[in-house]
Amino acid sequence: MCGIVGYIGKADAPTVLINGLRRLEYRGYDSAGIAILDEGRIVVSKAPGKVSVLNEQARSAWPAARFDRCTTGIAHTRWATHGPPTEVNAHPHLDQSGEIAMVHNGIIENYRSLRVRLEAKGHQFHSETDTEVLVHLIGEYDRGDLFQAVCDALHQVEGTFGIAVLSAREPGKIITARRGSPIIIGVGDGETIIASDAAAILAHTQRVIYLDDNDIAVVTAESVDIRDLHNIPVTREIAELDMDAAAAGKGGFDHFMLKEIHEQPDSLGNAIRGRLDFNQGSSVLAGMGTSQRELAELRRVVLIGCGTSLYAGLVGEFAFEDLADIHAEVQQAAEFRYRNPILGSRDLVIAISQSGETADTLAAVREAKQKGAFVMSLCNVVGSTIARETGRGVYLHAGPEISVASTKAFTCQVAVLLMMALKLGRGRRFSRDDGMRFAKEIENTPALVGRVIQQNARIAEIAAAYAHHEHAFFIGRGPMYPVAMEGALKLKEISYIHAEGFHAAELKHGPIALLVQGTPIIAIACDIPGKSKTLGNIEECRARGARILGIVTEGDDEAAASMDDFITIPRCHPLVATIPAVVALQLLAYHIARLRGCEIDQPRNLAKSVTVE
Ligand code: F6R
């Protein structure tokens, strides 16, 4: 989704800003722009399409000296919400005087009424965006104190924002603020970098300040002064970033997605390390911040998330019920606060989010807290809004996930959910021996995934038989049902093949009508309870001409013989098997998308972190 970079320091700001935008490309966007301060004037360059287009445009239109002498600017990648991705709608936007520039993430919900008000005062707008309205409002309030003008304007707006504002009348500073959309300030040596995502800061410094909602900061090359919207100073700690620049590169792989799939033995190792207690047959998850007694008193677990994180939650639902005998349910985060969730202090709500910034999940977290539930998070991005607002939870430690399609976050989410369920299970039905056996199974997940990755070349060959279809159906049952849905999501988002995940038993209740000669059915038919029924469902598909690709357990010749093609996963506990099974589907989706010539890391229309509801 949209990305912000701001820079004030001693380096060539246009280059720093464009490099920063490149670091944010993975988030998904459709236009880009930059505004810099040059000899007392704001100079803007914007372009639809990629950051490389913006770079070429700025370098050919601007004199080389401008790159050398400009040390202050703001830049943006836009994921269109209000108006199509044209040059005029791209950020930065200028106020009426042309002396104030602003970039903005989020949505100003009352922009229409503000626009009418400003038009009545003679303001002329060039774009269809809500952002242009906000910068005009700032200009309207500016009486020589930009900070105060931004405060006054932000008091008027409803909605969400992360902004960076630059004024030709007050050089030497950038004003930045947030409500519901992240802003991180990198504190360098004689330079300060503002960004909506740590990836744009990494190359400069590891020392960062995370703004909280309704914080507004005056940033110079040497200082960061943070206040609230009533001009009262607030203190925010400087934190160390938990990632390095190398982790944000492709490391020799053709795509971030392939790199991240291959990283899974390591990322799982990091997610698990130090968290299994083989002596007690349990797990040690200090971030949960609960006593064994509080856990024993829990009545219900509610898992919330969106997309891939939602599907990880569905695996978690099986785990909490199977291992801990506790009622568990999954709720789609966007719906949560609109449906009067019945919650109390004995309900554990687990918000699952790779980015920790998903607006729907964040809104659900706030609702759950308001209702007095016991709320915790399962995030990957350290210091993200959801992680901070829940205050307790478990980090994935999967490392930065750059590819828009989530891979290693899913497997780590499942691994952590299994550890959470194990912890709860030990307070309930699990004996120490049961716990030790299950802990061993979790410990083994990196090796299980490694065995699937070894089949990469074979999976690439199998993909060729499926890449030319326009529809594909994934089936599974038990914990493999969410795996089927996640496999379908991976395929549709990166290859643009219409793919659906169905419960294997549900096919005959309708979807089977879609099958024609050659329709691909991807069946997750590993050797877990219910397998024989899934094999029966496969025969029903075959009888209607479908081509079957099975995910089967190593050595299960009966299942393999039922398939036209198959990929194996090692024999393991049915819940643990979701992890290698999904890796097989990630590789399948990747190779199909590659064969179709798709832009794998940045699929059309998608954003890495979805900060609008
Ligand atoms: C799919 C994908 C999305 C995200 C969803 C939630 O590959 O990445 O479906 O899972 O947008 O994002 P997070 O986990 O950041 O809350």
Side-chain angles (χ1 to χ4, degrees):
M1 221 150 235
C2 304
I4 289 177
V5 191
Y7 179 79
I8 181 160
K10 48 201 174 189
D12 143 14
T15 304
V16 170
L17 292 169
I18 286 170
N19 287 342
L21 291 184
R22 286 200 178 103
R23 292 282 187 194
L24 302 186
E25 285 194 289
Y26 78 95
R27 299 171 64 89
Y29 69 102
D30 31 44
S31 59
I34 175 170
I36 45 170
L37 213 49
D38 187 19
E39 301 187 322
R41 281 187 319 124
I42 299 245
V43 187
V44 177
S45 182
K46 311 198 280 190
K50 296 289 173 198
V51 172
S52 56
V53 177
L54 173 73
N55 185 38
E56 273 167 36
Q57 178 177 294
R59 286 190 188 275
S60 58
W62 291 351
R66 182 168 286 164
F67 285 83
D68 295 337
R69 66 183 173 234
C70 292
T71 55
T72 309
I74 55 178
H76 193 257
T77 46
R78 172 174 185 256
W79 187 79
T81 55
H82 295 68
T86 56
E87 180 180 341
V88 75
N89 284 332
H91 304 201
H93 288 284
L94 299 176
D95 78 324
Q96 181 79 359
S97 71
E99 293 186 326
I100 301 177
M102 187 180 84
V103 290
H104 165 224
N105 288 356
I107 290 182
I108 306 301
E109 287 164 6
N110 59 337
Y111 81 104
R112 281 180 211 281
S113 58
L114 292 171
R115 182 169 170 145
V116 169
R117 228 171 78 191
L118 290 164
E119 277 170 341
K121 291 187 166 202
H123 286 253
Q124 284 176 351
F125 293 95
H126 306 285
S127 76
E128 296 160 67
T129 64
D130 50 342
T131 304
E132 194 183 12
V133 175
L134 178 53
V135 69
H136 273 241
L137 192 63
I138 293 171
E140 178 68 21
Y141 284 124
D142 190 9
R143 306 270 179 275
D145 182 349
L146 182 65
F147 174 84
Q148 194 54 50
V150 176
C151 279
D152 292 344
L154 292 181
H155 278 296
Q156 301 284 311
V157 303
E158 289 160 21
T160 54
F161 53 80
I163 55 169
V165 188
L166 187 63
S167 171
R169 296 192 287 268
E170 293 181 49
K173 67 170 78 150
I174 298 174
I175 310 284
T176 182
R178 74 157 273 174
R179 181 187 297 157
S181 196
I183 291 287
I184 307 168
I185 301 172
V187 183
D189 181 12
E191 59 180 4
T192 311
I193 309 101
I194 297 161
S196 52
D197 181 321
I201 294 180
L202 273 179
H204 301 269
T205 178
Q206 302 275 111
R207 301 174 73 228
V208 295
I209 298 170
Y210 297 94
L211 289 194
D212 276 351
D213 273 355
N214 297 311
D215 283 356
I216 170 163
V218 182
V219 169
T220 71
E222 305 286 349
S223 65
V224 179
D225 177 15
I226 309 175
R227 292 163 185 265
D228 68 12
L229 288 182
H230 300 286
N231 207 351
I232 313 278
V234 292
T235 310
R236 304 283 172 239
E237 301 295 316
I238 295 186
E240 284 289 315
L241 275 179
D242 184 27
M243 60 206 283
D244 61 41
K250 277 191 205 154
F253 287 92
D254 287 345
H255 297 96
F256 281 110
M257 182 178 180
L258 191 61
K259 174 185 173 231
E260 287 160 11
I261 292 173
H262 278 77
E263 275 171 357
Q264 288 175 107
D266 287 341
S267 57
L268 280 162
N270 291 338
I272 293 165
R273 188 166 304 114
R275 289 173 164 175
L276 289 169
D277 177 350
F278 293 102
N279 208 10
Q280 294 301 322
S282 184
S283 61
V284 187
L285 299 167
M288 282 174 79
T290 41
S291 64
Q292 206 60 32
R293 190 160 153 218
E294 280 172 314
L295 290 182
E297 281 172 2
L298 286 177
R299 191 181 59 150
R300 188 167 61 133
V301 178
V302 180
L303 301 127
I304 51 177
C306 300
T308 290
S309 297
L310 180 72
Y311 297 148
L314 283 167
V315 177
E317 182 180 344
F318 281 92
F320 283 109
E321 291 192 350
D322 281 6
L323 305 183
D325 272 348
I326 185 164
H327 174 69
E329 64 189 60
V330 176
Q331 296 199 19
Q332 208 285 336
E335 207 48 53
F336 192 73
R337 67 173 168 162
Y338 298 108
R339 54 172 290 183
N340 187 26
I342 317 291
L343 291 174
S345 58
R346 288 175 60 208
D347 294 319
L348 169 63
V349 173
I350 305 175
I352 308 172
S353 174
Q354 187 285 129
S355 62
E357 302 295 348
T358 300
D360 289 324
T361 311
L362 179 58
V365 162
R366 289 176 177 159
E367 179 70 15
K369 280 172 76 176
Q370 183 138 1
K371 293 239 148 119
F374 197 67
V375 185
M376 64 180 67
S377 60
L378 215 169
C379 292
N380 191 33
V381 177
V382 176
S384 55
T385 308
I386 292 173
R388 286 182 300 126
E389 286 213 10
T390 49
R392 68 174 101 212
V394 183
Y395 280 120
L396 300 182
H397 299 313
E401 194 180 66
I402 306 290
S403 172
V404 165
S406 187
T407 54
K408 60 180 179 171
F410 178 89
T411 45
C412 290
Q413 284 164 343
V414 171
V416 173
L417 286 166
L418 294 182
M419 289 190 282
M420 284 180 161
L422 171 61
K423 190 173 168 74
L424 252 77
R426 278 292 283 126
R428 292 164 183 254
R429 82 190 256 277
F430 248 40
S431 69
R432 182 167 168 265
D433 281 357
D434 289 340
M436 279 163 59
R437 266 194 297 277
F438 195 71
K440 277 272 164 221
E441 291 261 3
I442 297 175
E443 191 193 29
N444 206 21
T445 51
L448 303 178
V449 166
R451 294 253 282 276
V452 177
I453 291 174
Q454 279 165 10
Q455 297 171 71
N456 182 36
R458 212 170 79 77
I459 297 173
E461 278 169 28
I462 293 172
Y466 295 85
H468 59 282
H469 288 274
E470 288 313 314
H471 307 275
F473 304 113
F474 290 66
I475 60 171
R477 59 176 68 219
M480 295 303 165
Y481 172 41
V483 170
M485 290 197 284
E486 171 60 7
L489 178 63
K490 284 294 84 87
L491 186 63
K492 78 180 92 168
E493 66 184 333
I494 61 168
S495 75
Y496 314 139
I497 291 175
H498 166 227
E500 300 286 348
F502 296 117
H503 191 284
E506 198 57 30
L507 267 190
K508 56 187 173 297
H509 297 291
I512 203 164
L514 296 167
L515 301 190
V516 293
Q517 195 61 34
T519 304
I521 290 281
I522 295 92
I524 301 98
C526 13
D527 200 4
I528 63 169
K531 179 195 84 174
S532 58
K533 290 193 174 19
T534 302
L535 292 182
N537 302 133
I538 288 168
E539 290 315 315
E540 292 154 15
C541 297
R542 183 189 303 291
R544 286 153 184 92
R547 178 173 182 142
I548 319 287
L549 164 57
I551 309 298
V552 302
T553 304
E554 280 173 9
D556 185 352
D557 297 337
E558 182 208 2
S562 309
M563 313 296 173
D564 294 294
D565 306 284
F566 65 88
I567 303 166
T568 58
I569 65 163
R571 186 169 292 281
C572 53
H573 188 285
L575 286 165
V576 173
T578 56
I579 293 176
V582 93
V583 174
L585 301 182
Q586 293 166 355
L587 282 169
L588 179 72
Y590 172 81
H591 288 296
I592 290 178
R594 193 178 46 80
L595 288 166
R596 289 166 70 94
C598 298
E599 227 185 292
I600 293 177
D601 285 331
Q602 292 161 40
R604 71 178 176 219
N605 303 340
L606 293 184
K608 183 67 184 160
S609 149
V610 184
T611 49
V612 293
E613 283 190 57

